Amino acid sequence: MTLDLTTELAATRVLAVIRGTDTAAAIATGAALLDEGVGIVEVALTTPGALDAIEAIRSAAPAGSLVGAGTVLTAGEVADVAAAGAQFVVTPAVVDSIPEAVRRGLPVAAGALTPTEAYAAVRAGAAAVKLFPASLGGPAYLKALRDPFPDIPFVAVGGVGLAELPGYLAAGAIAVGVGGPLVGDAASGGDLEALRARARDYLAATRVTPS
């Protein structure tokens, strides 16, 4: 059965982006996030040992959670992350990895900023469009993008802090992707308890109806 990434994102509302400097810390970060109920995590391939981290996090992940790979640029990287057990792929732009992931049945959240890029991402087979960097235009820009593209599922990524999260959801994002503001330095050996507290705060914020 093909994974319906957009449905899962819309249900969870938070995609955690793990990007760090230490493999073991990245694995511990993923485990802590999943344990706190952040049900969808991606490990950026810029993290040392990212493939090992994906495999380890996936092998220990609770039922119903999803583990994917981020910053996937090439067809070769798609093959690598698929072998590691990644369940979905995230890109920073409209790149060569998208059609290869689609061919393999891996759903893609493809990075795009402009209307042209968003349309191209969907035409290439992306299941969702990662509006990146979302902070450049904020929720108002997302709303403007959605006016001509009401059927494109947008995930706002890049500079989405707790204060900004409700605005993106109110503007129509099905979810937000959060790296630094949520993960902090945990994936580089930082405080996991502080990470857990931030995770609880983010999940609580998704349950607040924007005014």
Side-chain angles (χ1 to χ4, degrees):
M1 184 175 65
T2 302
L3 168 67
D4 187 344
L5 182 63
T6 56
T7 297
E8 298 294 337
L9 285 167
T12 302
R13 311 307 295 274
V14 175
L15 163 65
V17 182
I18 300 171
R19 188 187 304 275
T21 60
D22 181 82
T23 308
I27 294 169
T29 295
L33 287 165
L34 292 172
D35 184 55
E36 290 296 336
V38 178
I40 307 181
V41 302
E42 69 166 272
V43 179
L45 291 188
T46 53
T47 301
L51 297 176
D52 291 336
I54 291 168
E55 186 173 5
I57 296 168
R58 174 79 195 280
S59 67
S65 55
L66 300 177
V67 180
T71 323
V72 181
L73 303 177
T74 68
E77 288 175 343
V78 173
D80 291 341
V81 302
Q87 294 165 281
F88 63 92
V89 163
V90 182
T91 78
V94 182
V95 290
D96 295 343
S97 58
I98 299 171
E100 177 61 17
V102 172
R103 187 185 72 79
R104 289 174 173 268
L106 282 175
V108 183
L113 179 62
T114 68
T116 299
E117 291 168 351
Y119 184 69
V122 173
R123 285 290 300 270
V129 170
K130 165 186 159 180
L131 179 62
F132 177 77
S135 58
L136 193 63
Y141 179 67
L142 170 59
K143 183 180 183 305
L145 268 183
R146 291 191 68 248
D147 286 344
F149 298 124
D151 297 326
I152 293 181
F154 283 98
V155 180
V157 183
V160 182
L162 270 176
E164 293 78 32
L165 184 151
Y168 284 110
L169 297 182
I174 63 168
V176 297
V178 194
L182 168 58
V183 175
D185 62 354
S188 298
D191 188 345
L192 288 177
E193 288 308 311
L195 167 70
R196 287 177 175 273
R198 290 191 298 271
R200 292 191 291 270
D201 288 342
Y202 266 88
L203 291 174
T206 67
R207 294 190 285 267
V208 175
T209 302
S211 57

